[in-house]
């Protein structure tokens, strides 16, 4: 398919006449077209298509179809039908009434092009650029970010079904690539055990029988891998994605003990960040957050949150499920900076905040990062009457520390923490601490008090943040962050945010970019029609109870 970019298209006069008659009060698609114009131009996607070949359907229009599809929660077939049959969609797309649209498979092909080029952000950016041109986007004030879990599109499987399906997938790939070779080396029972999906057969109920079956699958997979890596196998077979997946799964789940294939002990398996959990989605990972456990991914949403203004999603990032939120703070800031949408203040929850991030956000991006920092973790803090690191006087220039009892030490040793971050180890010797009058409030060690300090800028930023977050002013300002929970709820209810439509991180990421764009269109439409924001619902019983402090609304 090739593309010949066209200029901005006006809505045909007959389409305008019929649309106005059919929708006298307008619709979302009509209002968005009237307010924002033609959102996407063909030239924006020219690099996704070759210069020669059969002309493709307008990619600018396809991008808008993808967004409208997520606004209304439609399948590809339903979206293609809407292009053919719905007048308001034809109006938004600038099509003649008689335009027959396209086959539904075109949407899948266009998504693949966006995924291959890693350009899902273009769609969200197109909506934001149009909103900014109309004065609907204000990014210089405050923004808020939060994450939520996303289940993989692949169904959950047991361990036995996972290894069986992984082996079956590799055998099918080999049967397609090298059928004659596989027919020579295949075991006599492989066609019986692995010709059909594992779910089509019944696994044994008895635990011992299931363990025996798992070991049989392990032996068969081990034999296949040895054969593929032998000198008699075609070298190209080792490059098959299914064979590589089989190798990784077998390394993680099986090993040899005295020449026999055995299942690995749970303590001998890799950590969750590396452990494969599905034969159908190789990038999905298991993760747990409080009471929620899932296999899949995680999505981070950032939106503007100035009072009495339109709140729009300005950044969307999708990661594997095991990626901690704290690792994404700088990534979110970097992406906002690249797009020119950095806020002055960024409201986040505790998972995104640490001392070095407070300093980094201010130094590199000019952002005030606002979120609860972790408290002091020590037996002195737990006792509520002991001396913590904040009670010691630090002379940074002289590299010495004075304790609350008036003793000073120069044992100052720059070091690295277990995570590799710079720290300073400070030590008071036993001779200083044992005769001290306030020793019981400081240390129980006969060797003296030990302190681990962060670099000066981080240390002072952490102390300041801990002091501020206990004030009523900070708590009142931080209430605004809660509104992002409403955004997540809107994404879940309207666009199915927590369930991936597709397999793989790249396609799931595209889904979330489209979800962000769809939510923005819905919010722009609500702004144009004067629809008020939803308030937090209160049950009749809760209304009879004692009044509680007010919090911010859903958005």
């Amino acid at each position: 398919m090739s593309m010949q970019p066209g200029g901005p298209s006006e809505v045909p006069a007959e389409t305008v006449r019929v649309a106005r008659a059919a929708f006298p009060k307008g619709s979302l698609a009509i209002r968005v077209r009237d307010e924002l114009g033609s959102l996407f131009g063909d030239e924006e996607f020219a690099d996704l298509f070759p210069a020669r070949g059969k002309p493709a359907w307008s990619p600018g229009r396809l991008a808008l179809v993808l967004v409208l599809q997520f606004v209304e929660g439609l399948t590809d077939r339903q979206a293609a039908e809407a292009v053919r049959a719905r007048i308001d969609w034809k109006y938004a797309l600038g099509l003649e009434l008689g335009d027959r649209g396209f086959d539904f498979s075109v949407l899948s092909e266009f998504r693949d092009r966006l995924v291959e080029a890693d350009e899902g952000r273009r769609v969200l950016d197109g909506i934001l650029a149009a909103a900014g041109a109309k004065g609907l986007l204000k990014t210089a004030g405050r923004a808020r970010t939060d994450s939520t879990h996303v289940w993989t599109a692949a169904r959950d499987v047991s361990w036995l079904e996972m290894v069986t399906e992984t082996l079956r997938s590799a055998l099918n790939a080999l049967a397609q690539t090298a059928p004659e070779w596989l027919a020579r080396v295949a075991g006599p029972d492989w066609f019986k055990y692995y010709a059909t999906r594992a779910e089509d057969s019944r696994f044994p109920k008895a635990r011992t029988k299931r363990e025996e079956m798992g070991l049989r699958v392990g032996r068969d997979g081990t034999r296949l891998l040895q054969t593929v890596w032998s000198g008699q196998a075609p070298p190209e077979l080792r490059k098959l994605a299914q064979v590589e997946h089989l190798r990784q799964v077998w390394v993680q789940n099986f090993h040899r003990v005295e020449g026999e294939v055995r299942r690995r002990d749970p303590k001998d398996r890799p950590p969750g960040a590396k452990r494969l959990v599905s034969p159908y989605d190789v990038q999905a990972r298991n993760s747990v957050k409080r009471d929620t456990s899932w296999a899949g991914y995680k999505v981070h949403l950032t939106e503007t949150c100035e009072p009495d203004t339109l709140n729009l999603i300005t950044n969307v990032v999708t990661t594997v499920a095991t990626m901690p939120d704290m690792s994404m703070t700088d990534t979110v800031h970097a992406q906002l900076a690249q797009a020119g949408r950095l806020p002055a203040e960024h409201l986040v929850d505790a998972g995104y905040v640490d001392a070095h991030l407070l300093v980094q956000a201010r130094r590199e991006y000019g952002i005030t990062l606002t979120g609860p920092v972790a408290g002091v973790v020590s037996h002195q803090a737990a006792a509520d009457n002991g001396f913590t690191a904040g009670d010691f006087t630090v002379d940074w220039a002289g590299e010495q520390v004075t304790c609350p009892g008036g003793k000073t030490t120069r044992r100052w040793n720059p070091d690295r923490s277990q995570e590799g971050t710079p720290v300073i180890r400070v030590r008071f010797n036993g001779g200083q601490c044992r005769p001290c009058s306030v020793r019981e409030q400081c240390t129980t060690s006969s060797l003296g008090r030990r302190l681990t300090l962060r670099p000066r800028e981080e240390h002072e930023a952490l102390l300041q943040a801990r002091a501020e977050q206990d004030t009523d002013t900070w708590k009142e300002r931080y209430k605004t962050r809660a509104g992002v929970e409403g955004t997540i709820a809107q994404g879940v209810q309207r666009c199915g945010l927590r369930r991936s439509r597709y397999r793989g991180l790249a396609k799931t990421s595209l889904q979330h970019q489209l979800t962000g764009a769809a939510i923005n269109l819905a919010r722009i439409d609500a702004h144009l029609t004067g629809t008020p924001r939803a308030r937090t619902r209160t049950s009749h019983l809760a209304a009879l109870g004692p009044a509680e402090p007010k919090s911010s609304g859903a958005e």
Side-chain angles (χ1 to χ4, degrees):
M1 302 290 287
S2 66
M3 188 195 71
Q4 289 76 41
S9 60
E10 296 294 330
V11 184
E14 184 65 8
T15 302
V16 173
R17 185 186 69 80
V18 175
R20 299 296 183 198
F23 296 90
K25 295 183 179 181
S27 71
L28 181 148
I30 292 174
R31 285 188 290 269
V32 166
R33 175 67 191 231
D34 288 342
E35 179 68 18
L36 303 181
S38 181
L39 286 169
F40 306 101
D42 290 347
E43 67 282 353
E44 298 176 42
F45 305 95
D47 59 312
L48 304 183
F49 294 83
R52 296 184 178 183
K54 182 180 178 180
W57 211 75
S58 166
R61 288 180 171 131
L62 285 175
L64 180 55
V65 170
L66 289 179
V67 179
L68 292 174
Q69 175 186 12
F70 274 76
V71 169
E72 301 191 17
L74 305 179
T75 65
D76 286 355
R77 289 180 183 272
Q78 291 170 332
E81 183 65 23
V83 173
R84 284 191 294 272
R86 286 181 49 175
I87 297 170
D88 58 335
W89 277 44
K90 289 184 181 293
Y91 184 97
L93 296 168
L95 296 175
E96 298 283 353
L97 292 176
D99 194 294
R100 295 186 296 177
F102 51 83
D103 185 79
F104 73 93
S105 62
V106 172
L107 289 175
S108 177
E109 180 187 343
F110 184 59
R111 281 196 303 269
D112 288 342
R113 292 181 184 273
L114 289 173
V115 168
E116 289 174 5
D118 193 21
E119 290 296 344
R121 290 177 58 88
R122 287 191 196 182
V123 182
L124 177 61
D125 288 344
I127 302 291
L128 293 171
K134 293 294 182 177
L136 300 175
L137 176 63
K138 302 183 184 301
T139 60
R142 291 183 293 177
R144 55 196 178 196
T145 296
D146 201 4
S147 66
T148 190
H149 56 278
V150 180
W151 281 284
T152 173
R155 63 183 179 84
D156 292 336
V157 295
S158 65
W159 176 84
L160 184 55
E161 188 174 0
M162 183 192 72
V163 295
T164 303
E165 278 295 287
T166 301
L167 177 54
R168 190 185 69 85
S169 176
L171 287 170
N172 274 323
L174 292 169
Q176 184 177 9
T177 304
E180 296 181 358
W181 174 85
L182 183 60
R184 291 196 306 269
V185 302
D189 293 331
W190 289 6
F191 301 98
K192 171 185 174 182
Y193 292 134
Y194 310 115
T196 59
R197 295 175 69 95
E199 63 186 20
D200 295 335
S201 60
R202 293 183 178 180
F203 291 138
K205 293 184 178 180
R207 179 179 178 180
T208 55
K209 294 292 186 182
R210 294 171 69 88
E211 290 177 353
E212 290 175 4
M213 182 177 178
L215 291 176
R216 187 254 298 164
V217 174
R219 288 191 295 269
D220 290 344
T222 301
R223 179 188 164 192
L224 177 62
L225 289 170
Q226 289 174 336
T227 307
V228 169
W229 259 264
S230 68
Q232 291 74 33
E236 61 270 16
L237 299 185
R238 303 166 198 166
K239 300 179 182 179
L240 293 176
Q242 295 87 342
V243 172
E244 174 58 21
H245 185 211
L246 175 69
R247 186 191 67 79
Q248 293 181 22
V249 170
W250 254 241
V251 168
Q252 294 181 3
N253 289 275
F254 297 101
H255 63 155
R256 285 185 176 275
V257 179
E258 297 180 354
E260 293 291 329
V261 175
R262 292 287 183 264
R263 184 180 178 183
R264 287 188 184 274
D265 185 86
K267 294 183 180 180
D268 192 30
R269 297 172 196 166
K274 297 182 178 180
R275 192 181 308 157
L276 303 174
V277 299
S278 173
Y280 314 115
D281 190 344
V282 298
Q283 293 175 307
R285 295 292 184 271
N286 278 329
S287 189
V288 178
K289 186 174 183 180
R290 292 188 287 273
D291 296 332
T292 302
S293 59
W294 76 100
Y297 305 95
K298 188 188 290 185
V299 60
H300 304 257
L301 301 178
T302 302
E303 66 173 356
T304 58
C305 58
E306 283 296 282
D308 303 321
T309 60
L310 180 60
N311 294 339
L312 295 178
I313 294 174
T314 55
N315 197 70
V316 179
V317 187
T318 307
T319 69
V320 294
T322 52
M323 181 70 70
D325 291 349
M326 196 172 295
S327 300
M328 296 307 299
T329 305
D330 183 59
T331 299
V332 171
H333 289 164
Q335 292 183 355
L336 289 172
Q338 184 179 12
R341 304 188 190 110
L342 277 174
E345 183 179 24
H346 192 188
L347 302 167
V348 295
D349 68 16
Y352 291 91
V353 184
D354 194 12
H356 78 278
L357 293 172
L358 292 172
V359 173
Q360 185 183 52
R362 182 173 60 245
R363 182 176 61 236
E364 297 186 11
Y365 304 102
I367 295 176
T368 299
L369 184 63
T370 302
V373 298
V376 179
V377 181
S378 66
H379 74 270
Q380 292 92 346
D384 201 29
N385 66 345
F387 297 126
T388 65
D391 298 312
F392 288 71
T393 302
V394 183
D395 180 359
W396 298 95
E399 296 187 349
Q400 61 185 20
V401 177
T402 302
C403 74
K407 305 294 191 301
T408 299
T409 182
R410 291 181 178 274
R411 295 189 175 186
W412 179 288
N413 180 32
D415 196 4
R416 291 273 175 179
S417 68
Q418 292 182 347
E419 294 76 23
T421 58
V423 294
I424 299 165
R425 312 287 185 187
V426 175
R427 177 182 173 184
F428 289 83
N429 62 43
Q432 291 175 299
C433 294
R434 280 191 294 271
C436 184
S437 60
V438 293
R439 178 189 173 192
E440 292 184 359
Q441 296 173 267
C442 189
T443 182
T444 58
S445 173
S446 61
L447 300 178
R449 181 68 185 266
R450 305 286 193 276
L451 292 177
T452 300
L453 305 178
R454 295 174 181 267
R456 179 176 185 175
E457 199 173 3
E458 295 181 12
H459 177 79
E460 293 175 348
L462 191 59
L463 293 180
Q464 181 181 357
R466 284 173 177 158
E468 287 183 350
Q469 69 188 29
D470 289 332
T471 64
D472 292 337
T473 301
W474 186 95
K475 293 176 182 178
E476 187 64 29
R477 191 173 82 248
Y478 185 66
K479 285 181 179 179
T480 304
R481 191 218 68 88
V484 74
E485 305 289 349
T487 297
I488 291 175
Q490 185 179 12
V492 171
Q493 295 167 10
R494 185 156 200 159
C495 305
L497 179 68
R498 285 202 181 113
R499 171 65 73 176
S500 179
R501 286 189 173 198
Y502 320 107
R503 296 176 183 177
L505 178 61
K507 289 187 176 181
T508 302
S509 178
L510 174 60
Q511 172 187 333
H512 294 151
Q513 299 292 338
L514 296 174
T515 296
I519 292 175
N520 283 346
L521 275 195
R523 290 185 172 183
I524 290 171
D525 182 63
H527 173 76
L528 296 175
T529 57
T531 304
R533 296 176 184 175
R535 295 185 178 276
T536 303
R537 294 181 178 87
T538 304
S539 68
H540 297 294
L541 179 62
L544 293 176
E548 295 183 359
K550 294 182 178 179
S551 61
S552 59
E555 296 179 25

